[in-house]
Amino acid sequence: MIDLFSGLDAWVLVSLLLALAFVLAFEFINGFHDTANAVATVIYTKAMPPHLAVFFSGVFNFLGVLLGGVGVAYAIVHLLPVELLINVNTGHGLAMVFSLLAAAITWNLGTWYFGIPASSSHTLIGSILGVGLANALINDIPLADGVNWQKAIDIGASLVFSPMAGFLIAALVLIGLKWWRPLSKMHKTPEQRRKIDDKKHPPFWNRLVLVISAMAVSFVHGSNDGQKGIGLIMLVLIGIVPAQFVLDLTSTTYQIERTRDATLHLSQFYTRNSDSLGEFLALGKSVEGDLPEKFRCNPQQTEPTINALLDTLKGVADYHSLPSERRIEVRRYLLCLDDTAKKVGKLPGLAAREKDDLNKLRKDLTATTEYAPFWVILAVALALGLGTMVGWKRVVLTIGEKIGKQGMTYAQGMSAQITTACMIGAANIFSLPVSTTHVLSSGVAGTMVANKSGLQGGTVRNILLAWVLTLPATVALSAGLFWLASKALGS
């Protein structure tokens, strides 16, 4: 990490430190903004004292970030079009990062202040989309190319589907519990438990399930939401100090050889399928240059790009041996080859087996570009974990009492939490960012309907309003900030 600061101009160093502080502040705010989603039920049901619930939630959020990988992180990063990712420029990177972070932090703080369970995932995604669209308008790029719309659709579908599924599954789980044990004490609210049984805490087994499921929600929240901070920091590092972070400089000789071999196999793959891909890739035709002048990936320049990459990596056993300009070129080549391979995989005519081979080659191609240093993961884990330990009170009451017309029963809390933990865990497997806030609050709403407790129109309306407004508001805010920053920097 010490190398990060060596040889940097003072203004670049200050900008880098400010950008990193912004990202960690976003994760800290994300922690206390979303904490209530993990601890609301255990605090409201008195399964755990607030100070213990918040502390252990912070610990499990920390562990979730450390052990969660980087799949979701790069799903977020690749919302930006590949052309924007390969255009490495310090001023451009600063404008992009500060604009999207300022928009995300502003919206998160505003919704937290009013106690509205808004989604940090929606906030961040809207901010990234805003930057991509503003960049397209500034540089006269078609809006269709300003954002990776296919990735945006995939993520949007997961964000829309997950609350609906959370509502339905949590409701079904509660119905199952009521059918299995209709007279159980788990169907009492904390208030009923205190009045009827003169007991402060839930029954032992219900309490155990509530605590375990709350910690599971904390863990998967860290492994999903924490990765968003990791992706942001990698955008910061690649945008401001590209020479040291465009490639994983800790890559072993084997990993570099694996990348080179994947490039060679990719060339053989295209040759093998030249009948169906020859025209799309302009195979065997002379194309001037290895990449377009404005860093725009062109499938018809795939062959020159493959040759340039193989030539650059020839005899390379350590990325440190490459000059900084060459490292940037290698990343540019790899990202464009991956982008083209992704487009090829969607073309008709390729056999399923060939598409499967292509997907495996893509993973090998990006193995040394989609990474995160351990200190980045640790910093995000600490920021999210510490943020989790403050600020929980504003949203706990909303989750526990203001969604339904009656208080939450122990069974409802268990149903909502188990559903949330399982759904976010599944999303992590497929590297899809989802909203812990929306999955849990919709799960609680589903249990309220299944329990015939009714829903409080005002609270549900506020949550839905935040859900609807978050994307357009953050898109507009980040786009405006990026436009202003780009004009100020003269880009």
Side-chain angles (χ1 to χ4, degrees):
M1 183 179 174
I2 301 299
D3 293 342
L4 174 63
F5 304 104
S6 62
L8 296 180
D9 293 338
W11 76 272
V12 175
L13 179 59
V14 171
S15 300
L16 175 60
L17 293 176
L18 280 175
L20 292 176
F22 259 61
V23 177
L24 295 177
F26 170 80
E27 278 305 309
F28 183 84
I29 294 167
N30 186 12
F32 72 69
H33 186 272
D34 286 1
T35 298
N37 303 306
V39 299
T41 50
V42 288
I43 292 176
Y44 178 75
T45 59
K46 296 181 171 57
M48 288 183 82
H51 64 283
L52 278 182
V54 171
F55 172 77
F56 281 107
S57 180
V59 170
F60 277 90
N61 266 285
F62 176 86
L63 293 174
V65 179
L66 282 186
L67 303 174
V70 295
V72 174
Y74 280 93
I76 291 289
V77 169
H78 287 299
L79 274 173
L80 294 171
V82 67
E83 290 80 9
L84 195 55
L85 294 176
I86 63 176
N87 185 8
V88 175
N89 173 280
T90 299
H92 185 270
L94 284 173
M96 176 176 66
V97 169
F98 281 117
S99 300
L100 67 89
L101 283 175
I105 288 172
T106 300
W107 187 260
N108 262 359
L109 282 176
T111 52
W112 167 80
Y113 180 80
F114 291 104
I116 300 172
S119 166
S120 297
S121 298
H122 276 70
T123 301
L124 179 57
I125 290 165
S127 300
I128 291 175
L129 292 178
V131 165
L133 292 173
N135 179 72
L137 290 172
I138 291 170
N139 294 293
D140 295 322
I141 297 171
L143 289 181
D145 298 327
V147 170
N148 184 344
W149 290 110
Q150 184 56 56
K151 179 63 72 174
I153 291 169
D154 292 343
I155 291 176
S158 73
L159 289 172
V160 170
F161 172 76
S162 54
M164 296 167 60
F167 182 97
L168 180 61
I169 294 172
L172 292 175
V173 171
L174 180 66
I175 290 170
L177 290 175
K178 295 188 78 168
W179 173 80
W180 178 49
R181 300 285 298 276
L183 301 179
S184 172
K185 294 176 182 178
M186 66 178 163
H187 300 298
K188 293 180 179 178
T189 66
E191 184 67 18
Q192 291 169 337
R193 173 81 165 159
R194 188 183 64 80
K195 285 183 178 180
I196 298 172
D197 301 332
D198 198 25
K199 298 266 179 90
K200 181 179 180 181
H201 302 295
F204 174 78
W205 289 110
N206 302 146
R207 189 176 186 181
L208 183 64
V209 173
L210 282 165
V211 170
I212 292 174
S213 59
M215 295 308 105
V217 171
S218 298
F219 181 85
V220 296
H221 174 263
S223 61
N224 195 281
D225 273 42
Q227 288 191 52
K228 296 158 192 170
I230 293 171
L232 285 175
I233 288 186
M234 293 312 296
L235 278 178
V236 168
L237 295 175
I238 291 169
I240 299 178
V241 279
Q244 298 184 52
F245 293 98
V246 286
L247 297 172
D248 184 0
L249 297 183
T250 66
S251 298
T252 64
T253 303
Y254 169 77
Q255 289 172 314
I256 296 172
E257 282 296 310
R258 189 176 172 184
T259 300
R260 194 182 69 82
D261 288 345
T263 308
L264 186 60
H265 288 307
L266 185 66
S267 177
Q268 294 170 351
F269 176 91
Y270 289 147
T271 301
R272 188 167 70 245
N273 292 279
S274 59
D275 288 344
S276 57
L277 302 177
E279 184 176 349
F280 180 72
L281 299 175
L283 298 177
K285 298 179 181 178
S286 176
V287 181
E288 183 180 353
D290 61 331
L291 284 174
E293 185 179 344
K294 291 188 176 181
F295 304 114
R296 196 172 293 187
C297 296
N298 181 357
Q300 295 195 337
Q301 293 178 317
T302 295
E303 274 190 323
T305 303
I306 288 175
N307 294 333
L309 178 58
L310 289 173
D311 184 60
T312 303
L313 292 181
K314 186 176 181 179
V316 174
D318 187 337
Y319 279 143
H320 285 94
S321 66
L322 287 174
S324 58
E325 296 81 6
R326 288 301 225 179
R327 295 176 200 165
I328 293 171
E329 284 180 358
V330 167
R331 177 176 181 268
R332 185 153 46 97
Y333 298 152
L334 288 170
L335 289 184
C336 278
L337 289 177
D338 177 63
D339 184 64
T340 297
K342 179 173 61 178
K343 293 174 181 175
V344 167
K346 295 174 184 176
L347 294 176
L350 274 183
R353 180 179 175 181
E354 294 284 55
K355 289 184 179 181
D356 185 55
D357 284 348
L358 191 59
N359 287 331
K360 291 175 182 175
L361 287 174
R362 286 184 60 206
K363 289 180 181 178
D364 287 344
L365 274 176
T366 56
T368 58
T369 60
E370 295 189 358
Y371 76 103
F374 178 72
W375 68 264
V376 170
I377 298 172
L378 182 62
V380 171
L382 285 171
L384 186 64
L386 292 173
T388 297
M389 297 182 187
V390 300
W392 51 271
K393 289 184 179 179
R394 287 187 180 272
V395 184
V396 165
L397 190 62
T398 299
I399 296 291
E401 292 187 354
K402 293 188 177 180
I403 292 180
K405 293 182 178 179
Q406 299 176 17
M408 182 194 301
T409 66
Y410 305 128
Q412 287 176 268
M414 291 188 295
S415 301
Q417 284 189 162
I418 291 170
T419 299
T420 302
C422 291
M423 289 196 62
I424 298 175
N428 288 340
I429 293 173
F430 294 101
S431 299
L432 289 171
V434 293
S435 168
T436 307
T437 303
H438 290 156
V439 174
L440 184 71
S441 56
S442 63
V444 171
T447 64
M448 290 293 175
V449 171
N451 201 42
K452 299 180 180 178
S453 303
L455 297 173
Q456 290 196 34
T459 302
V460 173
R461 185 166 55 251
N462 287 340
I463 293 174
L464 288 175
L465 193 61
W467 189 85
V468 170
L469 291 180
T470 293
L471 276 178
T474 49
V475 165
L477 186 56
S478 66
L481 291 172
F482 183 73
W483 184 83
L484 291 173
S486 297
K487 292 298 181 184
L489 291 169
S491 58

